[in-house]
Amino acid sequence: MSQTISKVYDHRDVEARWYAWWRENGHFQADNQSDAEPYTIVIPPPNVTGSLHMGHALTLTIQDVLIRHKRMCGYNALWLPGTDHAGIATQMMVERHLAKSGKSRFDLGREAFLEEVWRWKEQYHGRITRQIEALGASVDWSRERFTMDEGLSTAVREVFVRLYEEGLIYRDDRLVNWSPGCQTVISDLEVEHEERQGSLWHIAYPVEGSDETLIVATTRPETMLGDTAVAVHPEDPRYAHLVGKRIALPLTERTIPIIGDGILVDMEFGTGAVKVTPAHDPNDFETGRRHDLPMIQVIDKDAKITDNAPAAYVGLDRFEARKRIVADLDAAGLLVKVEPHTHKVGTCQRSGVIVEPMLSKQWYVKVEPLAKPAADAVREGKTRIVPEVWEKTYFHWMDNIRDWCISRQLWWGHQIPAWTCDDCGTLVVSRDDPSACGACGSAALTQDPDVLDTWFSSGLWPFSTLGWPEQTADLKTFYPTSVMETGHDIIFFWVARMMMMGLHFMGEVPFHTIFLHAMVRDETGAKMSKTKGNVIDPLDVSQEYGADSLRMCLAALAGHGRDIKLSIKQVEGYRNFVNKVYNACRFALLNLEDHDPAAAAPAQVGLIDRWILSRLARVTEQVDGAMDALAINEAAQVLYQFFWNELCDWYIELSKPVLYGDDAEARRATQHTLVTVLDGALRLLHPFIPFASEEIWQSLPLGDARPEALIIADYPRPGALPVDGAAEADVGALIDVITGVRNIRGELNVAPGKPIAAVLRVSDRETADLLEGERILLERTARLGTLTIRVGGERPKGAAMQLAGTTEVHVPLAGLIDFDDELARLDKAIAKEEKGLAQVSRKLANPRFVENAPADIVEKERGREADHRAALEKLQASRTRIAALAAQG
C-alpha cells in the first residue's frame, strides 16, 4: 500500500524535517573501520565570520552531489566540514567593531583582543553551520574542524618546525607588499592590480662637478628621497663616460653613484637612465643587491615619510609628500616635464589601499623543492586537473614560483613558534613553548609577535583534519582524499600549497582529482558585487524557492570551464521542475493505493511500460557516464529531460488509459512499472534534489525490502534494466503523431479539449498496425473525435498537415475554424509584434543609449528585440499557412 503525500510541496517543512532526521540517524557519518572503498572530500573551509555567497552554494552543491552519489554507490563516503580562521578578514571585522566604540586593538592589548575575536568566532560559527545545513550538505558533522583548533594548531607547529629544521623556512630582509590599510605584509596573490590614470614626471638629476644632467622618469616622485643610484646601460655610448661618477640628488644633501646595469636598463626605452630606489621597488631591490647599494627606507608602515628623508618632508603622507616634492622640483628648475600616464597600481585585496613595496625582515618558505614534486605529480597523472585547460596555468605558476612570505603582522592566527633570547640574541624555534634559552640558559625569551599566513594552515587541511601528525585511523582510511573541488580562483592560494604540503609530509598526493568549477556571475555575465546591487543571496533564494530548486539550477549550469550566468528566473524554472516531479509522483501514488509490492512481477508488460523502462535504462547509463566524468551538469540535464518530458509529460499521460481502464492485469503491470520507474528515477535524482526525492520516495509502496532511507539506498547501475530499441521506436512514432495533432491545434488556435478529427496517412502496413493497436491511446491522448488510419491513398483536401516521422497527420478543417476570423486574429497579433519590434529597434539604434545605459539594460533590450523577431516570424509563417488552407477550401 502506498502512503499519501501532501497536496502541496512545502519545502520549508520538508527540508527542516529531513535534514534533522538524516543527521540524527547518522546517515552523514563515515566509518574508519569499514571495508568499503573510501571516497573522501574535505570541504574548502569558509571564513568562520563570513556568510555563504553563491560561489559557496555552487561548491556545496557540486560536492554534495558527488558525495551522495558515491554514498549510494556503496562507498565509505566522508565529507569533512570545517571553517577557516581567516586571519586578515576576521581581524579587520573585529577591529571595525571596536572602532565603533572608539577603541583599537592596541587599547585592549593582544590577549584581551584575542579573547574578543574568539567570542566573535563562536558567535558567527553557528551562522555558517546553519547556512551549510540549509543547502542540504550531507557533511559529517562529527568530524568538523577549525584551522585554529587544538589538533590543527599542533599540526601547524609541527610543519613549521620540520621545515625550519630542513632549511626550508628562513628569515630574510626582502622587499614585501605592505598594506598600510591592514598594517601587514600581504602576498602577491592578495594584491589586485588596476589601471589608473596618473602622471609621469621627468626630473633632471645634476651630475656632480659638471653641467650635465641625467633625465629620469618616474610615476612616484616621493621615492626619489630614497634613491641610492642612477643606472644606465653599460654599453650605452651616451652615458659611458658618466659611469662611476656621482649625481647630486635633488632636494637632499646626498650624492649617489651612476652605475652600469644591463639587467635593469633598456637603453632603447625612455632616456636610458633609471633612478634606483632599492627599499621601495622590487626591480630596484635586486639591482641594489647586485651592486651592494644602501637601502634607504623613506616611507614607513603608515605610508608616511620617515626621518631618513630631509626634514621638510618627514611625517607627510606619501601622496602629500609627492605634491610638495613636485612643487619643490619645479621651483628648483629640475622638473623637465609632466605627462599623463596610465599604469597599473597594486591595491590591497582587503582594504583597497594602495600597497607599498617595503624592505622588511620576514619569514619565508623555500618553495622550489616543494613545488617540483607537486608539478611532477600532475604531469605523471597521480593527480588530474578537471578541466584540463587549467593544467597549463598550474604548471606555469609552479615552474616559476617564488619563495613564499609566510609571516603576517596580525594578532589573530597561529603565532610563529620562534623565540629570541633577550640576553644573547639566540633564535629558538620549538614545537613546545621553551622555558629557557638553549645557548645561555636565560629564561628571558620573547616570542615573535607575527602570525602565519592563513594559507599556511589551510595548506595542511587534507591531512591535518584527519589527525596528523598522529597516525590516526581516519588518516589511514581517508588519505589521500578523492576529489578537491573548488573555484579556479584559489588554485594558487590554496590548491597548489595543499599539493606541496601533502606530498612533503605524507609522501602521497593529497587528492587524486582537482575539480575546478567556474565563477557564478549575474545574468548579464557581470561579477556579483554589493556595490553593483546584483548579488543573489543563496540563503534568501533557498528560503524562497527551496534548496532543491537552487541546487538543481546550479548543478545544471555548472559546465566545465564555463562561467554561470545566474538569474532568479532560472531558479524559478527549477522550482517548477521540483513541483512537477512532486505533483506527477503524487498523481502516481494516488493510482498505487491498491498496489501490492509483495505480488510477483508481471510476466509481460505493455508497449508503453517497455518504453519507459528502456528509457530509464538508457538514462541510467548516461548519468553513470556523466558522473564518472564529473560532468554533473550533463547528469542534471539528462535527469531534467527524462523527468519533465518522458516520465511526467508522456509516460504518466500515456499510462492513464491503462490505469483508468477495466483490464486488471494490465493495470497491475503498469502499476508495477510505475513503482519500478519512480524508485529508480528518484534514486538517480536524489543527489541533486535530496529533500523532495526523499519525501516522495518514502511514500512509494516498495515492501519490506526497502532500505531505511533514500540517502543510503543503492544507486541504479547500468545494465540492471533491459534496453528495448523496438519499444522506443514504436512509442517514438506514437509521440510524434500526438505531437503533430497538438501542433496543428496550437497553430489553428483550437482549444486543447475540443474533439477533432484526424487522418493518419502511413507508408506501410507495419506502421498502420502499430497505430491501430494503440487507437484508444491515440484518441484519448490527442483528444480525437474520429481517427482514420490508412496506408497510402489520396491526401484529404482542406486539411492541415504535419509530418510525424514517416506518418502524415491530417486534420480536416471544415467546421473547425473560421478562416476569416483566424486571419484577422493573426493580422492583429502581427501588428502588435511589429510595433513592439520597431520601438525596441529605435532604442538600440540610438548610439547614446547603447553607449551610456548600463550593460545589463542594453543586453535586456537586445533580448526583447530577439523575442519580438522570433514571435513575428512564427506569426507570419502561421498566417501564410492559414491563407494557403483558406485558398484550398
Side-chain angles (χ1 to χ4, degrees):
M1 298 288 288
S2 68
Q3 302 173 22
T4 57
I5 56 176
S6 301
K7 188 174 183 180
V8 177
Y9 180 63
D10 181 354
H11 68 263
R12 293 181 183 87
D13 167 67
V14 170
E15 290 168 10
R17 179 160 40 83
W18 279 115
Y19 195 90
W21 188 88
W22 287 327
R23 186 171 177 179
E24 288 165 7
N25 285 273
H27 293 314
F28 298 164
Q29 285 184 244
D31 181 3
N32 60 26
Q33 299 301 315
S34 172
D35 292 330
E37 184 177 345
Y39 184 87
T40 312
I41 297 176
V42 290
I43 199 170
N47 291 358
V48 70
T49 56
S51 59
L52 299 186
H53 54 65
M54 200 54 79
H56 291 119
L58 176 61
T59 293
L60 290 169
T61 295
I62 293 173
Q63 292 184 10
D64 200 33
V65 167
L66 296 175
I67 213 78
R68 285 179 184 267
H69 171 249
K70 290 297 186 181
R71 185 184 291 125
M72 293 176 74
C73 287
Y75 286 77
N76 184 18
L78 169 62
W79 187 13
L80 192 148
T83 46
D84 195 295
H85 67 277
I88 293 180
T90 302
Q91 179 159 321
M92 283 184 67
M93 183 179 290
V94 178
E95 288 197 68
R96 280 197 293 264
H97 172 69
L98 291 173
K100 291 176 183 177
S101 56
K103 295 180 180 178
S104 73
R105 61 173 159 138
F106 301 103
D107 295 324
L108 271 67
R110 185 166 190 148
E111 187 174 340
F113 176 76
L114 290 177
E115 288 175 2
E116 182 71 15
V117 182
W118 276 106
R119 280 193 291 271
W120 269 67
K121 180 263 178 188
E122 294 305 321
Q123 176 184 345
Y124 282 94
H125 170 262
R127 182 175 70 173
I128 284 285
T129 299
R130 289 190 297 273
Q131 291 173 335
I132 293 172
E133 290 174 342
L135 289 169
S138 59
V139 294
D140 187 343
W141 289 110
S142 70
R143 289 177 164 90
E144 183 183 10
R145 303 305 300 264
F146 175 55
T147 50
M148 283 180 62
D149 67 29
E150 185 178 353
L152 268 67
S153 296
T154 299
V156 167
R157 276 207 176 186
E158 180 65 28
V159 165
F160 185 95
V161 174
R162 281 200 203 177
L163 290 175
Y164 179 80
E165 291 172 345
E166 293 168 7
L168 295 178
I169 281 183
Y170 62 94
R171 278 197 303 178
D172 194 13
D173 287 299
R174 289 191 175 191
L175 216 61
V176 296
N177 302 306
W178 179 262
S179 169
C182 294
Q183 285 291 295
T184 181
V185 170
I186 59 175
S187 72
D188 291 345
L189 297 171
E190 293 166 301
V191 179
E192 293 186 340
H193 296 275
E194 53 187 63
E195 284 207 343
R196 293 193 182 183
Q197 184 62 47
S199 298
L200 189 64
W201 287 271
H202 295 256
I203 306 167
Y205 277 26
V207 177
E208 189 179 37
S210 167
D211 293 334
E212 289 186 81
T213 60
L214 284 178
I215 309 300
V216 299
T218 181
T219 58
R220 305 188 64 207
E222 65 276 15
T223 64
M224 68 172 290
L225 302 177
D227 286 359
T228 56
V230 173
V232 296
H233 197 285
E235 297 176 6
D236 191 332
R238 294 172 294 177
Y239 306 125
H241 66 291
L242 295 177
V243 174
K245 294 188 176 182
R246 301 185 73 81
I247 290 287
L249 184 62
L251 310 182
T252 75
E253 296 179 357
R254 293 192 293 115
T255 63
I256 57 177
I258 300 170
I259 62 174
D261 192 287
I263 297 175
L264 179 68
V265 182
D266 177 358
M267 67 177 118
E268 303 298 325
F269 182 78
T271 63
V274 178
K275 62 188 284 300
V276 182
T277 321
H280 293 286
D281 180 274
N283 294 322
D284 293 2
F285 173 76
E286 297 300 334
T287 304
R289 281 196 161 181
R290 286 194 299 275
H291 295 271
D292 198 24
L293 297 174
M295 300 197 181
I296 302 174
Q297 185 175 331
V298 293
I299 299 174
D300 67 14
K301 293 179 178 180
D302 295 316
K304 293 181 178 179
I305 303 301
T306 71
D307 56 10
N308 289 328
Y313 310 110
V314 173
L316 292 178
D317 173 80
R318 54 185 164 170
F319 299 120
E320 180 59 34
R322 177 182 296 179
K323 295 176 185 175
R324 186 84 60 87
I325 288 166
V326 168
D328 290 349
L329 287 169
D330 194 24
L334 298 174
L335 186 62
V336 178
K337 63 178 177 177
V338 182
E339 296 177 318
H341 182 66
T342 301
H343 63 128
K344 287 191 173 181
V345 175
T347 61
C348 172
Q349 190 181 64
R350 294 288 177 187
S351 67
V353 175
I354 292 176
V355 169
E356 187 62 47
M358 188 173 294
L359 190 64
S360 178
K361 184 181 287 294
Q362 301 291 336
W363 290 91
Y364 291 86
V365 173
K366 190 175 182 181
V367 180
E368 188 179 358
L370 303 175
K372 187 179 184 305
D376 289 344
V378 175
R379 287 190 171 101
E380 294 165 8
K382 295 175 183 175
T383 295
R384 65 176 179 136
I385 298 178
V386 178
E388 286 186 15
V389 66
W390 286 104
E391 284 188 4
K392 185 177 180 182
T393 305
Y394 175 83
F395 291 140
H396 178 76
W397 195 72
M398 284 296 205
D399 295 343
N400 296 279
I401 200 164
R402 296 197 298 176
D403 284 359
W404 174 16
C405 178
I406 55 171
S407 45
R408 297 291 182 269
Q409 287 63 55
L410 303 170
W411 288 355
W412 174 243
H414 295 280
Q415 192 169 352
I416 291 173
W419 291 259
T420 301
C421 178
D422 297 342
D423 292 332
C424 71
T426 297
L427 181 68
V428 181
V429 173
S430 174
R431 291 169 177 81
D432 304 308
D433 291 7
S435 57
C437 173
C440 71
S442 170
L445 298 173
T446 301
Q447 187 173 1
D448 193 313
D450 291 351
V451 300
L452 290 164
D453 180 10
T454 296
W455 298 103
F456 188 92
S457 53
S458 301
L460 319 181
W461 191 249
F463 58 93
S464 64
T465 52
L466 296 172
W468 189 92
E470 300 299 321
Q471 293 303 304
T472 63
D474 273 5
L475 190 65
K476 292 173 184 175
T477 302
F478 299 112
Y479 189 93
T481 69
S482 304
V483 175
M484 170 45 60
E485 192 284 331
T486 189
H488 63 68
D489 55 327
I490 56 174
I491 187 172
F492 307 131
F493 277 116
W494 190 41
V495 176
R497 286 161 177 168
M498 285 188 288
M499 285 288 288
M500 291 188 286
M501 294 297 196
L503 280 162
H504 191 73
F505 289 98
M506 293 296 297
E508 291 183 87
V509 294
F511 21 75
H512 296 302
T513 300
I514 299 166
F515 181 17
L516 302 172
H517 66 244
M519 299 294 100
V520 184
R521 301 182 177 275
D522 74 6
E523 59 188 306
T524 68
K527 184 179 180 180
M528 291 188 189
S529 71
K530 290 179 182 178
T531 54
K532 291 180 182 177
N534 63 347
V535 172
I536 302 176
D537 187 305
L539 281 306
D540 291 345
V541 172
S542 60
Q543 183 71 13
E544 178 70 21
Y545 299 100
D548 283 344
S549 306
L550 177 59
R551 288 168 60 111
M552 189 68 182
C553 179
L554 291 172
L557 296 175
H560 290 181
R562 293 195 300 273
D563 282 353
I564 293 174
K565 294 181 180 180
L566 184 68
S567 69
I568 292 296
K569 183 177 285 188
Q570 289 168 311
V571 181
E572 287 178 355
Y574 285 95
R575 189 263 316 268
N576 296 341
F577 170 73
V578 173
N579 285 337
K580 177 117 175 171
V581 171
Y582 186 84
N583 292 332
C585 292
R586 183 174 180 275
F587 165 82
L589 290 170
L590 291 172
N591 285 277
L592 291 171
E593 290 179 348
D594 59 344
H595 173 66
D596 180 6
Q604 61 181 38
V605 295
L607 173 63
I608 306 304
D609 294 335
R610 286 165 42 218
W611 168 74
I612 196 63
L613 289 168
S614 182
R615 290 301 308 134
L616 179 59
R618 290 194 193 273
V619 166
T620 301
E621 289 178 358
Q622 289 176 279
V623 170
D624 183 72
M627 293 301 290
D628 281 349
L630 298 178
I632 70 163
N633 62 310
E634 293 178 16
Q637 289 161 11
V638 165
L639 289 168
Y640 181 97
Q641 167 75 16
F642 175 73
F643 256 96
W644 190 290
N645 294 329
E646 296 179 312
L647 183 56
C648 298
D649 281 357
W650 285 111
Y651 177 68
I652 289 178
E653 190 68 26
L654 296 174
S655 66
K656 285 179 180 178
V658 179
L659 293 172
Y660 297 161
D662 299 327
D663 187 333
E665 188 174 342
R667 175 181 165 78
R668 280 195 296 273
T670 293
Q671 285 180 322
H672 184 275
T673 300
L674 193 53
V675 171
T676 301
V677 171
L678 288 180
D679 179 28
L682 287 169
R683 290 178 190 231
L684 287 171
L685 197 55
H686 176 76
F688 299 88
I689 58 167
F691 294 113
S693 58
E694 185 78 77
E695 176 78 357
I696 298 163
W697 186 85
Q698 290 286 346
S699 297
L700 286 182
L702 297 176
D704 296 336
R706 71 181 304 146
E708 181 185 27
L710 179 55
I711 190 175
I712 55 170
D714 289 341
Y715 205 70
R717 304 292 176 91
L721 291 172
V723 171
D724 190 333
E728 291 188 34
D730 287 349
V731 175
L734 298 176
I735 289 173
D736 286 346
V737 168
I738 295 166
T739 302
V741 173
R742 289 175 176 174
N743 287 344
I744 293 172
R745 276 184 186 276
E747 190 173 288
L748 300 179
N749 203 31
V750 177
K754 182 177 181 178
I756 61 176
V759 177
L760 305 181
R761 183 173 178 271
V762 300
S763 58
D764 58 85
R765 174 50 56 189
E766 185 179 1
T767 303
D769 291 344
L770 166 67
L771 299 175
E772 193 63 55
E774 300 295 336
R775 173 180 285 276
I776 295 174
L777 181 148
L778 290 171
E779 289 174 344
R780 290 187 182 181
T781 309
R783 303 287 196 276
L784 299 177
T786 62
L787 172 60
T788 304
I789 301 169
R790 64 169 69 142
V791 179
E794 289 191 15
R795 294 180 174 86
K797 296 192 182 300
M801 192 273 280
Q802 279 253 332
L803 197 60
T806 60
T807 300
E808 294 177 6
V809 179
H810 298 268
V811 175
L813 301 178
L816 189 60
I817 66 168
D818 184 307
F819 287 113
D820 291 338
D821 286 350
E822 183 60 17
L823 288 170
R825 184 188 72 81
L826 288 168
D827 286 339
K828 185 177 180 181
I830 287 169
K832 181 180 177 182
E833 290 296 334
E834 286 176 335
K835 182 179 179 181
L837 177 61
Q839 288 175 338
V840 72
S841 295
R842 276 198 301 273
K843 187 182 287 188
L844 289 170
N846 182 348
R848 283 191 299 174
F849 169 76
V850 175
E851 292 168 9
N852 298 323
D856 59 327
I857 299 296
V858 174
E859 192 64 30
K860 188 175 181 180
E861 291 300 305
R862 287 190 174 126
R864 287 182 58 207
E865 182 181 44
D867 290 343
H868 280 304
R869 289 190 192 281
L872 190 58
E873 288 176 11
K874 189 174 180 180
L875 287 167
Q876 288 170 336
S878 292
R879 194 196 187 287
T880 300
R881 282 193 289 272
I882 296 297
L885 289 168
Q888 283 182 29

